[in-house]
Amino acid sequence: QVQLVESGGGLVQTGGSLNLSCIVSGSIGSISGMAWHRQAPGKQREFIVEITNDGNPIYPRSGQGPRSVERRFSVTRDNAKHTSWLQMVNLTPEDTAVYTCSAEVRPPPSIKFTTYRGQGTRVTVSS
């Protein structure tokens, strides 16, 4: 069984920063891509960024995703710790949402990768 747990959300003022973390645990053979999404109240889930196994970030296409996503959101990971971090700066009330992490995991003895998702961590940005 594979579990993802996000943490680091909370209340922050406009212009503030937060660093979210996502830890993958359980029966892990290997992890491929890890991605971050968010869902604001009444809106569809929005892709923020993915990070490949070798640490390359993949952002949404131009015009998609959060405002100035590449300048305000950065992603890192530690493969040995099965952890990814999403660093967010210059936050505004538009960034208020539940942020979730997903990971493509190959649990042994399977040879296939399956996408698992955490429950999310809530971020609230006050004006």
Side-chain angles (χ1 to χ4, degrees):
Q1 187 174 0
V2 175
Q3 292 184 327
L4 279 72
V5 177
E6 302 94 335
S7 62
L11 176 64
V12 64
Q13 292 184 336
T14 295
S17 303
L18 281 175
N19 189 20
L20 309 182
S21 65
C22 171
I23 301 176
V24 185
S25 63
S27 181
I28 303 170
S30 58
I31 302 175
S32 179
M34 298 183 71
W36 289 89
H37 293 76
R38 71 182 187 182
Q39 187 164 15
K43 295 187 178 181
Q44 292 186 335
R45 190 170 66 202
E46 181 177 48
F47 170 62
I48 302 172
V49 64
E50 178 181 352
I51 184 166
T52 64
N53 178 266
D54 54 3
N56 292 315
I58 302 172
Y59 287 98
R61 294 180 179 179
S62 177
Q64 298 181 358
R67 176 185 59 84
S68 303
V69 59
E70 294 190 40
R71 289 190 305 203
R72 301 192 303 125
F73 295 79
S74 59
V75 62
T76 55
R77 68 186 282 175
D78 184 326
N79 291 336
K81 296 181 179 179
H82 305 312
T83 301
S84 172
W85 295 271
L86 179 68
Q87 297 168 297
M88 310 185 293
V89 300
N90 194 20
L91 293 168
T92 71
E94 291 179 343
D95 297 313
T96 294
V98 174
Y99 286 71
T100 59
C101 171
S102 64
E104 299 174 25
V105 181
R106 183 187 61 80
S110 174
I111 61 173
K112 295 175 60 178
F113 283 88
T114 300
T115 301
Y116 295 85
R117 186 178 303 278
Q119 294 296 312
T121 184
R122 185 175 302 276
V123 172
T124 303
V125 185
S126 63
S127 57

